[in-house]
DNA sequence: AGAGTGATCATG
DNA sequence: ATGATCACTCTC
């Protein structure tokens, strides 16, 4: 046994639950990326739930199943990474059983391990905003955190319960209480009609690491 | 408020 | 094949 504290990896059963429940329960858990032998990690502070075939904002709306989004159809605990705007990657945690194409977009982290490597990754990509030298802006957006943790399509479809490259460790046994979680409309989905107004974005109230106030 | 950037997807 | 779109970020 190691003398250091070891945190349990979240088990399959965590991910098989209702996607909104998973989105709330992921707050406060630790996302770990092992990259070039180093741990890059951050505490999840902001998420969004995407509800599948009926959700006009989801990539799987209407039952769409394409080369890009096929990972969303996998079993809960799988990773879905997509590329957009010609330059950005975003990562999602798939929830519920296979063939139920729902997922949780990870929108922001509080960086806690490998911060200097994260900064290097963010700087390497063209210009880095001066404000991004601040710890609070290093992982304060879905594409920013993927850049910082070196997450791209190579990781699409991996199983978070077994992968050695990326996984989620349990820091909290219980989800935060309702009064500590803000519930807002999702970002960037104005096109989604009635679904644009649904309160499917979750973040820790008052947390300085979220993507926007 | 607008540019950047190219994969992706529905259409034909 | 083609063109519109895009679960974003940065700078103006």
């Amino acid at each position: 046994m190691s003398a250091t504290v070891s945190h349990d990896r979240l088990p399959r059963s965590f991910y098989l639950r209702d996607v909104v429940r998973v989105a709330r329960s992921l707050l406060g858990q630790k996302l770990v990326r092992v990259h070039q032998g180093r741990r890059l990690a951050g505490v999840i502070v902001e998420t969004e739930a995407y509800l599948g075939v009926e959700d006009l904002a989801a990539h799987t709306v209407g039952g769409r199943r394409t080369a890009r989004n096929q990972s969303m159809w996998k079993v809960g605990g799988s990773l879905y990474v997509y590329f957009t705007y010609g330059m950005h990657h975003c990562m999602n945690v798939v929830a519920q059983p296979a063939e139920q194409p729902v997922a949780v977009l990870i929108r922001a982290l509080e960086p806690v391990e490998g911060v200097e490597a994260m900064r290097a990754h963010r700087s390497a990509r063209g210009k880095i905003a001066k404000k991004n030298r601040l710890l609070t802006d290093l992982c304060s957006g879905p594409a920013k955190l993927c850049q910082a943790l070196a997450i791209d399509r190579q990781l699409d479809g991996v199983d978070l319960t077994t992968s050695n490259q990326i996984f989620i460790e349990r820091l909290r046994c219980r989800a935060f209480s309702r009064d500590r979680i803000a519930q807002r409309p999702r970002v960037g989905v104005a096109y989604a009609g009635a679904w644009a107004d649904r309160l499917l974005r979750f973040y820790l109230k008052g947390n300085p690491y979220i993507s926007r106030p």
Side-chain angles (χ1 to χ4, degrees):
Chain A
M1 289 293 271
S2 162
T4 56
V5 177
S6 91
H7 297 290
D8 294 331
R9 186 187 287 228
L10 294 177
R12 179 78 64 204
S13 56
F14 178 94
Y15 300 105
L16 291 179
R17 298 175 299 158
D18 172 79
V19 63
V20 170
R21 194 108 179 232
V22 172
R24 303 174 63 102
S25 304
L26 279 171
L27 297 175
Q29 313 294 3
K30 187 192 277 189
L31 174 65
V32 181
R33 164 80 166 123
V34 178
H35 182 252
Q36 295 177 340
R38 270 186 308 212
R39 278 169 61 102
L40 311 174
V43 177
I44 298 169
V45 299
E46 179 180 349
T47 61
E48 282 177 359
Y50 286 82
L51 272 47
V53 298
E54 296 186 349
D55 184 350
L56 293 178
H59 289 169
T60 49
V61 62
R64 268 184 213 160
R65 186 173 195 152
T66 65
R68 174 169 80 153
N69 71 15
Q70 58 181 323
S71 295
M72 271 189 78
W73 296 81
K74 291 190 166 189
V75 67
S78 300
L79 187 67
Y80 168 46
V81 181
Y82 68 89
F83 182 70
T84 191
Y85 291 104
M87 59 188 110
H88 297 304
H89 293 276
C90 296
M91 67 156 282
N92 294 255
V93 174
V94 177
Q96 300 179 195
E99 301 302 314
Q100 298 179 19
V102 300
V104 177
L105 174 69
I106 307 300
R107 285 198 58 89
L109 307 174
E110 172 189 351
V112 291
E113 294 181 49
V115 171
E116 283 317 308
M118 291 189 202
R119 267 195 238 278
H121 292 151
R122 297 267 295 123
S123 305
R125 272 286 207 97
K127 309 216 186 327
I128 181 172
K130 191 173 269 184
K131 65 171 190 171
N132 284 328
R133 299 167 53 129
L134 297 174
L135 195 62
T136 47
D137 291 303
L138 203 51
C139 295
S140 58
K144 293 162 90 175
L145 71 90
C146 283
Q147 201 177 322
L149 302 203
I151 293 165
D152 60 23
R153 285 283 284 177
Q154 287 196 330
L155 293 174
D156 178 59
V158 309
D159 187 344
L160 293 168
T161 70
T162 59
S163 173
N164 292 319
Q165 300 190 92
I166 186 166
F167 44 87
I168 302 177
E169 290 177 347
R170 187 189 291 286
L171 292 187
R172 300 183 57 84
C173 292
R174 306 214 170 172
F176 281 97
S177 61
R178 297 248 163 184
D179 59 308
R180 301 201 42 199
I181 300 178
Q183 209 164 319
R184 291 276 137 63
R186 293 170 294 183
V187 174
V189 298
Y191 61 86
W195 286 85
D197 300 323
R198 296 282 297 268
L199 303 180
L200 294 172
R201 176 187 180 212
F202 307 95
Y203 60 85
L204 297 175
K205 284 183 183 171
N207 188 285
Y209 297 95
I210 63 170
S211 64
R212 49 189 359 193

